Amino acid sequence: MAANAIDQTRRMLSLVTYLRERPGARVGDVARAFGITEDELIADLDVLPMCGTSFRGGDLLDIDTDGDHIWWHNPDDVAEPLRLAADEATALLVAARAVATLPGLREGDRDALLRATAKLEAAAGEAAGASSRLSVTFESEGGVFADVDRAISERRRLWLRYYSPARDELTEREVDPIRLFAVGHTYLEGWCRLSEARRTFRLDRVAEIKLLDAPSAPPELELRDLSEALVQPSADDPEVVVEVGPAGRWVAEYYPHEGAEELPDGGLRITVRTPVPASLRRLALRLGRDGRITAPVELAQSAKLAARRALAAYGVDPETGEGTGVPVPEQLSGQL
């Protein structure tokens, strides 16, 4: 089982110290010391030269290997004390002040952050003055974040009114929170009492949230490794088959799938598992002429109907593709 991103990061940080003290170390010896295979070590060594002490492209780790030994050519340069540039200090100070104003931040964390900010201001000198003229405000999900964070720390259940894009509707549900995490957006992972299953909720899709007096009691679940992908289908999820033409082959790159069979026209027959098959109806609409859902039949028919409604909304005849000038039927409004 592959290590997750956090384990790999910790290992590479230790690897830097290890290699600095052992110039010319043998690949096999280093791999055994860290309990990994030589291939995993080489993969780490491929990443390390892209790391360093400056985002400007200088001061990167100059590490390479001939397959038998590992050489680090600039350990002394990288080990020099770090100095913040004016723009780096300004960015840190602005971010620190903004985070310190977040609602729901634990007082201990807020105090520690303010102490660190004061030290940074003293070290930054004139840059601190420039940063004081800048301010940052967070999106509305900040309040939701605070409530979720409080629910986790106090082990309390949450009530959510949540927008589900798959159903294009607002649903009300009670959730036992498990954790907060960020992958592009900020998410809550929790045990949903409505579906009686683990679910993930994007915070910016929470329309309303309340802390309940009921204790949070999610079942004991193994935390998912999110280093591969946010969406990780289960073997118990329904199976959906999507056929795409050459212009739709990108679907196999962006959607986790169980199989992708080559088609004679250069397209693919892609098998996907998802807990909410209806969510792929939007994919079918996006593909247009470049793809279609073929199974299950009910979902294929639903996608076809949605496409017809979309064409009607734009005054286009689904059969001929020509404009009809017909206004959108009132009963179809808002159903796409």
Side-chain angles (χ1 to χ4, degrees), residues 98-113:
V99 172
T101 63
L102 278 176
L105 189 65
R106 297 183 183 92
E107 286 307 312
D109 294 337
R110 193 189 310 278
D111 291 342
L113 181 58

Side-chain angles (χ1 to χ4, degrees), residues 13-291:
L13 288 172
S14 301
L15 189 58
V16 167
T17 303
Y18 186 94
L19 294 177
R20 186 171 186 272
E21 297 173 352
R22 296 169 177 80
R26 297 184 63 87
V27 170
D29 293 341
V30 177
R32 281 191 293 274
F34 282 83
I36 57 177
T37 66
E38 293 188 13
D39 287 342
E40 288 175 318
L41 175 60
I42 296 301
D44 288 347
L45 296 178
D46 288 339
V47 174
L48 283 176
M50 294 182 283
C51 304
T53 58
S54 174
F55 64 83
R56 295 178 174 81
D59 304 326
L60 298 180
L61 304 181
D62 188 6
I63 296 177
D64 64 31
T65 177
D66 59 6
D68 294 322
H69 297 81
I70 305 169
W71 303 98
W72 186 356
H73 302 293
N74 64 339
D76 295 332
D77 293 340
V78 174
E80 292 179 355
L82 298 180
R83 296 182 182 276
L84 289 174
D87 58 340
E88 293 172 323
T90 299
L92 279 173
L93 285 168
V94 171
R97 293 190 186 109
V99 172
T101 63
L102 278 176
L105 189 65
R106 297 183 183 92
E107 286 307 312
D109 294 337
R110 193 189 310 278
D111 291 342
L113 181 58
L114 291 174
R115 289 195 299 271
T117 302
K119 292 179 181 179
L120 184 57
E121 286 175 341
E126 294 182 2
S131 68
S132 65
R133 294 190 292 272
L134 301 173
S135 63
V136 173
T137 56
F138 290 95
E139 297 178 359
S140 58
E141 73 175 42
V144 176
F145 181 97
D147 286 338
V148 174
D149 184 59
R150 181 181 172 189
I152 292 173
S153 63
E154 297 180 3
R155 300 182 181 275
R156 291 168 62 181
R157 187 173 299 172
L158 288 165
W159 174 88
L160 304 179
R161 195 155 64 92
Y162 184 77
Y163 172 70
S164 173
R167 300 181 178 87
D168 192 25
E169 64 181 7
L170 286 168
T171 59
E172 296 182 7
R173 57 188 78 203
E174 293 186 6
V175 178
D176 291 339
I178 296 173
R179 61 171 169 170
L180 282 161
F181 64 90
V183 181
H185 296 274
T186 307
Y187 295 86
L188 158 67
E189 184 176 19
W191 183 259
C192 176
R193 295 285 170 174
L194 178 64
S195 56
E196 286 298 316
R198 172 162 45 189
R199 290 290 184 263
T200 300
F201 305 94
R202 226 172 83 173
L203 295 197
D204 60 352
R205 291 177 178 162
V206 176
E208 190 177 353
I209 185 170
K210 295 177 184 176
L211 273 75
L212 302 178
D213 292 330
S216 172
E220 292 188 8
L221 300 170
E222 182 178 353
L223 294 181
R224 298 180 302 159
D225 177 8
L226 301 173
S227 61
E228 294 296 328
L230 175 61
V231 179
Q232 299 174 358
S234 164
D236 298 327
D237 290 339
E239 190 176 274
V240 178
V241 179
V242 182
E243 291 187 359
V244 299
R249 293 178 68 95
W250 58 267
V251 173
E253 299 176 10
Y254 284 88
Y255 284 78
H257 57 279
E258 294 200 333
E261 177 186 347
E262 292 285 345
L263 296 176
D265 63 353
L268 294 172
R269 180 179 293 112
I270 305 169
T271 302
V272 178
R273 286 192 182 276
T274 172
V276 187
S279 63
L280 293 180
R281 188 169 52 222
R282 291 175 179 266
L283 171 63
L285 293 174
R286 180 180 177 186
L287 285 168
R289 297 181 183 276
D290 294 324

Side-chain angles (χ1 to χ4, degrees), residues 307-320:
R308 287 179 174 273
R309 288 173 171 170
L311 290 172
Y314 284 94
V316 177
D317 188 315
E319 303 299 334
T320 65

